[in-house]
Amino acid sequence: MLDLVSRPAPWHQPIWQQLTAQQDFAHAYLFSGQPGGGKRRFASAFAAFLMCDAPEHGFACDQCRSCHLRLAGSHPDLLLLEPEEEGKAIRVDAVRQLVDFISQTAQQGGRKVVVLQPAEAMNVNAANALLKSLEEPSAQTYLLLISDQPSRLLPTVRSRCRVQPLGLPAGTEALAWLTEQGGERSREECALLLQMAGGAPLLALTLAQQDALAQREKVVEGIKALLKGQVAPSRLAEQWNAVPIELLLDWFCAWTLDLLKLQQGAVEHATSADMEKVLGYMAQKLEVQRLLAWQDWLLEHRRLFASKANLNRVLFLEKALVQWKNLLQRR
Ligand SMILES: [Zn+2]
């Protein structure tokens, strides 16, 4: 189901105004940008706007028949295509369903809209099937593609869409927005969440809802105990069982980058405030060669996990923690 919203995130408001003020819309759009930055929300609101019978003040009205059908998740002229399971491909069968949908007349007599996300999940056959629809647009039909990684799309697909990058807000705007979202979070906690989310506000909010702050605290405490020799790597790897592996990988990558910058004197303080002391201490002690070798190993495993390789996470974490501790050992 699409997000049930009729407005984009506030930081995309200027782009929204430009886009919706146009008289003739493109047949296909590609909304690109970092995960958690508001692309899906933008595309959902834009789909709502295109389908609304009587938009008000430049947004879908949420009152008309078309809006009611959409809000109920049962608009026959609105199609959402996404992988059956997260991380899986969008297959050619799904795109054939799209081609059929496009060739039929609109059941409600208005526009038809297809939202496809993430567009890079289409395999080659699916993308080729989609190309036909992009080459022979049908009237009153709009394709909205959403992508974190537009460079992974077939160039022929990309070139047939109007590409609309949707960037992130400035740090202060993101922090103000996240603080306003309720939940009993301090400003410091919001700043930490945003940092974990690479500055993407909606991702930061999701992390907050997934209790990432508590998990982070547990992990940071664990790292301190590990370096003091108070806990064995194997024990810690098991204790972190409930922490998503993507988060752990992200954190270790960010800390490693902090260590490199600190060691080269490029920065005075680590960007990870809760790890500032630990990283500062480590940066003074470790050897750069060892750090670079660790970084290579870490990035390689992050890639493997991202490609859904069948890895044993406890064994991986144990190995990672042994190496992390060994960073401090002199040869
Ligand atoms: Zn409406």
Side-chain angles (χ1 to χ4, degrees):
M1 196 150 156
L2 282 172
D3 295 356
L4 299 179
V5 292
S6 54
R7 287 169 189 256
W11 53 93
H12 289 146
Q13 189 62 34
I15 293 175
W16 175 270
Q17 272 166 354
Q18 273 183 5
L19 190 69
T20 53
Q22 286 161 6
Q23 293 302 314
D24 61 324
F25 297 111
H27 169 62
Y29 289 88
L30 171 59
F31 299 117
S32 65
Q34 235 175 279
K39 299 185 299 295
R40 187 185 167 104
R41 179 164 167 178
F42 192 97
S44 300
F46 191 51
F49 172 79
L50 287 172
M51 304 208 71
C52 175
D53 296 332
E56 279 176 12
H57 312 295
F59 302 103
C61 72
D62 284 352
Q63 309 285 333
C64 68
R65 182 179 158 73
S66 180
C67 281
H68 279 162
L69 282 169
R70 172 180 56 81
L71 291 169
S74 56
H75 202 305
D77 300 322
L78 178 61
L79 179 68
L80 170 66
L81 280 186
E82 50 187 356
E84 283 170 14
E85 247 180 88
E86 208 186 314
K88 293 274 163 68
I90 295 180
R91 297 183 177 283
V92 67
D93 308 357
V95 177
R96 291 215 181 96
Q97 187 193 341
L98 175 153
V99 174
D100 286 347
F101 174 84
I102 288 176
S103 64
Q104 288 156 10
T105 351
Q107 294 191 32
Q108 294 293 315
R111 291 168 168 158
K112 285 186 295 181
V113 176
V114 181
V115 179
L116 195 154
Q117 74 126 27
E120 67 271 15
M122 281 187 291
N123 61 24
V124 174
N125 287 342
N128 279 324
L130 178 75
L131 266 180
K132 206 169 138 43
S133 322
L134 290 171
E135 279 161 1
E136 299 163 14
S138 32
Q140 298 287 76
T141 302
Y142 301 88
L143 288 175
L144 312 182
L145 275 53
I146 304 176
S147 178
D148 297 340
Q149 297 164 292
S151 60
R152 281 180 55 199
L153 295 175
L154 288 183
T156 39
V157 167
R158 226 168 33 226
S159 67
R160 282 172 178 78
C161 298
R162 190 176 294 174
V163 181
Q164 177 60 65
L166 294 169
L168 299 179
T172 45
E173 192 185 350
L175 187 56
W177 180 84
L178 190 60
T179 324
E180 279 165 23
Q181 300 310 302
E184 306 211 331
R185 289 182 288 275
S186 70
R187 216 177 146 76
E188 286 70 31
E189 287 173 332
C190 287
L192 181 58
L193 284 164
L194 274 167
Q195 195 218 323
M196 287 190 229
L202 295 169
L203 181 57
L205 188 59
T206 308
L207 288 175
Q209 287 155 355
Q210 289 168 347
D211 216 11
L213 283 174
Q215 287 172 339
R216 169 83 170 207
E217 204 182 324
K218 185 173 165 182
V219 169
V220 169
E221 288 312 311
I223 293 277
K224 287 178 185 166
L226 175 80
L227 294 180
K228 286 181 194 156
Q230 293 165 343
V231 61
S234 55
R235 176 116 184 79
L236 203 51
E238 277 169 22
Q239 281 176 7
W240 290 352
N241 232 340
V243 187
I245 192 75
E246 298 80 17
L247 280 185
L248 287 167
L249 287 162
D250 277 358
W251 295 345
F252 273 105
C253 285
W255 296 335
T256 303
L257 203 59
D258 267 347
L259 281 175
L260 279 165
K261 287 185 188 163
L262 283 167
Q263 226 203 11
Q264 289 162 5
V267 292
E268 276 183 39
H269 303 285
T271 48
S272 311
D274 54 349
M275 282 284 282
E276 197 180 324
K277 276 192 188 151
V278 177
L279 294 174
Y281 170 78
M282 288 180 78
Q284 286 174 1
K285 301 271 177 189
L286 50 75
E287 288 170 7
V288 71
Q289 290 309 325
R290 212 184 268 258
L291 183 58
L292 290 171
W294 150 256
Q295 189 184 36
D296 283 348
W297 185 86
L298 183 63
L299 291 175
E300 170 64 11
H301 280 80
R302 188 193 211 183
R303 196 186 58 74
L304 287 171
F305 274 104
S307 67
K308 310 276 169 198
N310 199 8
L311 299 180
N312 180 321
R313 71 167 265 161
V314 175
L315 273 184
F316 159 75
L317 280 176
E318 188 180 340
K319 269 192 205 167
L321 290 170
V322 168
Q323 290 189 65
W324 179 260
K325 198 176 173 192
N326 283 350
L327 285 175
L328 289 176
Q329 252 171 34
R330 294 274 165 191
R331 265 169 234 242

